[in-house]
């Protein structure tokens, strides 16, 4: 797995990173329109309501698209959009040693990978 940079932790995202350190994936759900969303933010991207609440995601998803980089100092690694079972899409790294076995539609599960001195980052691994 390539080295992952330290994420920017803000007061708004602190609960997300605290949960990540405990192996939990949090997303937000809007109290006004009911839509779940990711990445963590104060306002709902669907209706702009400030009535958003943290919820724990199941941590399971389906690969929507992917790209495997095979050149460069950190290669190989795979970036993908995965669709969480709750609905939101997440841009993420796929943590695996078998890049050729990855496919669109494949089921994946969240795993937390250490960053370079900060909180762990949610990545996904094949189920």
């Amino acid at each position: 797995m390539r080295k992952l940079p330290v994420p920017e932790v803000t007061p708004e995202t602190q609960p997300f990173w605290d949960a990540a350190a405990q192996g939990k994936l949090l997303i937000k759900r809007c109290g006004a329109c009911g839509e779940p969303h990711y990445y963590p933010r104060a306002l709902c991207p669907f209706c702009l309501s400030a009535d958003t609440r943290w919820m724990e995601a199941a941590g399971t998803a389906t690969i929507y698209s992917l790209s495997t980089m095979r050149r460069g100092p950190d290669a190989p690694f795979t970036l993908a959009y995965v669709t969480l079972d709750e609905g939101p899409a997440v841009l993420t790294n796929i943590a695996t040693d078998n890049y050729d076995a990855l496919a669109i539609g494949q089921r994946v599960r969240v795993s937390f990978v250490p960053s370079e001195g900060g909180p762990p980052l949610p990545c996904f691994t094949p189920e």
Side-chain angles (χ1 to χ4, degrees):
M1 184 77 190
R2 68 189 180 112
K3 292 180 183 176
L4 299 174
V6 175
E8 181 178 346
V9 178
T10 65
E12 184 178 17
T13 62
Q14 187 68 54
F16 177 84
W17 299 114
D18 290 345
Q22 297 174 9
K24 298 176 183 176
L25 178 64
L26 295 185
I27 61 174
K28 287 251 185 147
R29 181 176 297 276
C30 179
C33 71
E35 290 290 331
H37 58 272
Y38 181 90
Y39 65 90
R41 56 199 135 180
L43 298 179
C44 173
F46 298 99
C47 71
L48 302 179
S49 171
D51 181 17
T52 60
R53 296 187 179 102
W54 293 104
M55 65 176 271
E56 186 175 349
T60 50
T62 303
I63 296 176
Y64 176 78
S65 68
L66 63 98
S67 181
T68 300
M69 281 31 104
R70 297 188 184 275
R71 294 186 178 182
D74 293 329
F77 64 92
T78 297
L79 295 176
Y81 272 105
V82 300
T83 305
L84 297 176
D85 289 350
E86 292 80 8
V90 176
L91 178 61
T92 187
N93 288 275
I94 302 292
T96 184
D97 290 330
N98 191 359
Y99 300 98
D100 293 330
L102 297 174
I104 292 171
Q106 184 174 4
R107 297 289 295 164
V108 290
R109 176 172 296 283
V110 73
S111 62
F112 292 89
V113 176
S115 64
E116 294 183 314
L121 298 169
C123 296
F124 284 78
T125 56
E127 285 192 329

